[in-house]
């Protein structure tokens, strides 16, 4: 008698019930390549520095904080976010300086660099979830349809979480001529959704590929992966360094702070612009996302320890993914950059800018945000009052 648990036809039927958005598990030669990776050990991909990938602390305590009414009110704007409706006209002319960035919200950025067009972590879906009826919903509409962006040379994916790898967006792009550059293992999802293997470039950390005269390198990050009910840690997460003939840019993906930013900067920097994750942080998961203070520190590490280039904050403003107030990442990053003397850009979603040109610096979120407590502000040391000048008594005159 065949045991039910080993019935291959039953396993096939169960796989057929999986939502398509779960993607596919790596198998065959892809799985063998994963097992040969120097970053894969004990059956899973390993972080460059030890990291807790599950929330720490009490689940009940976290739930109280997350669902408390006043805190919830601060995690969303109180009015419509001022999105710039990106148009074909915005992007029709090549950037005068050779480098233009358009933040589309969250971690989605269109980078026009040295005549090529790179689209990072495109998420055009309404929810970052495997289901259309539940999960974090957009706080603002996409600034433009995908078609309005025009041809894209390469789509770069940082990892397979739903707020970075979006099924409907990938399916829409799969029918174009674009290439997809992804971390090792993530290609299984894309092939499952109709992307041709010929369109895929799948890289381990510190491996590179060339698209025209651009060189794209998968660099380490401190995070984790997973889309289905079982998280096997069989898909890698990465940050990305992109080098053209004239410019260099960096996209952090999702990551906790770690000392490896210095090594990435030494090998691939300094960068004309960095796109750094500064949102969805929490004391419950301190190892896998950065606060704005850590994001600023990461940028400086990437630039050799000194202010250089332009910092574009990403991974905030679009989805409610953590207990902090909605506008806090923008305000906190602004304060940190100002204190460090680091140039930073704060575009509205969809508003293109050139890092070497006039930068968007207006704190647009203030008009749609509730007041912030600003707990990150460090109290300045209180200076002792200046001692009053001593007046020696003129004893002769006092007589």
């Amino acid at each position: 008698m065949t045991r039910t648990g080993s019935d291959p036809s039953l396993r096939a039927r169960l796989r057929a019930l999986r939502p398509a958005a779960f993607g596919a598990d790596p198998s065959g030669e892809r799985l063998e390549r994963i097992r040969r990776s120097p970053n894969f050990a004990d059956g899973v991909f390993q972080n460059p520095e030890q990291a807790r990938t599950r929330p720490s602390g009490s689940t009940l305590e976290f739930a109280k904080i997350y669902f408390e009414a006043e805190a919830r009110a601060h995690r969303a704007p109180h009015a419509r976010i001022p999105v710039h409706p990106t148009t074909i006209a915005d992007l029709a002319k090549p950037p005068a300086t050779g480098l233009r960035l358009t933040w589309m919200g969250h971690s989605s950025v269109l980078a026009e660099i040295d005549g090529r067009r790179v689209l990072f972590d495109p998420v055009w879906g309404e929810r970052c979830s495997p289901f259309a009826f539940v999960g974090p919903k957009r706080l603002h509409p996409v600034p433009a349809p995908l078609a309005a962006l025009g041809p894209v040379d390469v789509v770069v994916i940082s990892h397979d979480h739903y707020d970075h790898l979006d099924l409907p967006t990938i399916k829409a792009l799969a029918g174009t001529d674009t290439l997809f550059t992804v971390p090792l293992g993530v290609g299984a999802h894309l092939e499952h959704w109709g992307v041709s293997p010929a369109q895929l470039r799948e890289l381990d950390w510190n491996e590179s590929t060339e698209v025209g005269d651009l060189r794209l390198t998968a660099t380490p990050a401190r995070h984790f992966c997973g889309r289905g009910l079982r998280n096997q840690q069989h898909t890698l997460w990465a940050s990305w360094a992109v080098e053209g003939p004239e410019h260099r840019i960096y996209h952090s993906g999702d990551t906790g702070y770690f000392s490896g930013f210095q090594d990435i900067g030494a090998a691939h920097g300094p960068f004309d612009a960095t796109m750094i994750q500064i949102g969805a942080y929490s004391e419950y998961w301190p190892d896998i996302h950065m606060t704005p203070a850590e994001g600023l520190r990461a940028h400086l590490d990437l630039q050799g320890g000194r202010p250089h280039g332009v910092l574009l904050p990403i991974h905030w403003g679009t989805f409610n993914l953590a207990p902090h107030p909605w506008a806090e990442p923008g305000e906190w990053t602004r304060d940190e950059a100002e204190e460090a003397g680091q140039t930073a850009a704060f575009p509205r979603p969809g508003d293109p800018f050139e890092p070497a040109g006039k930068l968007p610096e207006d704190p647009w979120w203030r008009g749609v945000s509730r007041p912030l407590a600003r707990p990150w502000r460090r109290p300045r040391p209180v200076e002792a009052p200046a001692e009053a000048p001593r007046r020696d008594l003129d004893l002769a005159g006092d007589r």
Side-chain angles (χ1 to χ4, degrees):
M1 180 177 177
T2 304
R3 289 190 303 169
T4 303
S6 62
D7 182 355
S9 62
L10 176 59
R11 290 202 300 271
R13 289 197 297 271
L14 289 174
R15 279 197 300 270
L17 294 175
R18 277 174 47 140
F22 279 10
D25 296 326
S27 60
E29 174 52 33
R30 177 177 281 117
L31 183 57
E32 289 306 310
R33 186 181 167 202
I34 287 169
R35 288 170 173 159
R36 294 193 300 267
S37 168
N39 304 303
F40 191 82
D42 300 323
V44 295
F45 277 113
Q46 303 288 327
N47 267 301
E49 292 177 8
Q50 187 175 5
R52 290 167 292 169
T53 59
R54 295 179 181 275
S56 60
S58 162
T59 303
L60 180 59
E61 180 186 350
F62 175 75
K64 285 180 180 178
I65 294 172
Y66 194 80
F67 292 107
E68 193 270 325
E70 181 66 19
R72 289 180 66 186
H74 280 78
R75 290 204 303 273
H78 67 68
R80 186 179 179 87
I81 293 175
V83 172
H84 175 86
T86 315
T87 65
I88 294 176
D90 286 328
L91 306 174
K93 292 183 179 179
T97 61
L99 177 62
R100 181 166 58 205
L101 303 178
T102 308
W103 178 54
M104 294 294 178
H106 202 57
S107 296
S108 302
V109 182
L110 175 66
E112 298 167 90
I113 172 172
D114 297 343
R116 299 286 176 177
R117 309 177 93 232
V118 183
L119 184 58
F120 292 96
D121 283 357
V123 174
W124 259 248
E126 190 63 21
R127 295 182 186 272
C128 48
S129 166
F131 308 107
F133 55 88
V134 69
K137 190 176 181 180
R138 282 186 165 275
L139 299 175
H140 65 79
V142 290
L146 272 172
L149 303 186
V152 172
D153 292 290
V154 57
V155 172
V156 175
I157 303 297
S158 64
H159 63 297
D160 68 359
H161 285 161
Y162 290 97
D163 57 324
H164 296 260
L165 180 61
D166 180 55
L167 167 61
T169 305
I170 297 299
K171 281 197 166 185
L173 290 165
T176 69
D177 293 333
T178 189
L179 296 173
F180 294 84
T181 302
V182 303
L184 185 55
V186 174
H189 298 314
L190 273 63
E191 286 188 23
H192 185 64
W193 298 335
V195 174
S196 164
Q199 291 177 273
L200 275 173
R201 310 281 179 87
E202 201 164 347
L203 306 182
D204 203 345
W205 287 342
N206 301 314
E207 291 182 344
S208 300
T209 189
E210 293 185 358
V211 177
D213 48 8
L214 292 186
R215 184 176 181 84
L216 298 92
T217 304
T219 46
R222 193 181 185 209
H223 200 56
F224 68 110
C225 64
R227 293 180 73 86
L229 298 177
R230 295 181 305 145
N231 183 4
Q232 296 182 316
Q233 296 288 80
H234 282 179
T235 60
L236 189 59
W237 48 96
S239 57
W240 290 90
V242 179
E243 180 181 357
E246 303 293 334
H247 295 90
R248 299 181 182 198
I249 57 176
Y250 171 85
H251 189 284
S252 72
D254 275 2
T255 181
Y257 179 81
F258 70 113
S259 61
F261 291 115
Q262 299 175 31
D263 298 329
I264 295 170
H268 305 286
F271 298 98
D272 298 280
T274 68
M275 297 154 271
I276 301 287
Q277 172 264 305
I278 51 88
Y281 47 84
S282 171
E283 62 184 8
Y284 290 94
W285 48 84
D287 299 336
I288 55 172
H289 281 169
M290 293 189 291
T291 66
E294 291 170 323
L296 188 279
R297 184 180 173 191
H299 170 89
L300 295 176
D301 285 352
L302 290 161
Q303 305 290 36
R306 63 185 178 87
H308 180 78
V310 174
L311 165 62
L312 171 62
I314 61 170
H315 203 264
W316 74 288
T318 304
F319 297 107
N320 180 353
L321 301 176
H324 61 68
W326 166 78
E328 185 176 278
E331 198 70 48
W332 189 354
T333 302
R334 186 179 175 88
D335 282 354
E336 291 289 337
E338 184 177 329
E339 186 172 323
Q342 171 59 52
T343 304
F346 297 95
R348 294 174 297 161
D351 195 3
F353 72 95
E354 299 191 28
K358 180 174 173 54
L359 297 179
E361 298 175 332
D362 178 54
W364 51 266
W365 55 87
R366 291 178 183 170
V368 295
S369 169
R370 290 170 176 79
L372 293 169
R374 307 170 88 88
W376 61 88
R377 283 202 161 171
R378 295 177 286 275
R380 298 186 182 279
V382 178
E383 295 181 6
E387 192 174 311
R390 181 179 175 182
R391 185 174 71 89
D392 293 321
L393 293 177
D394 183 351
L395 299 180
D398 287 345
R399 283 201 297 264

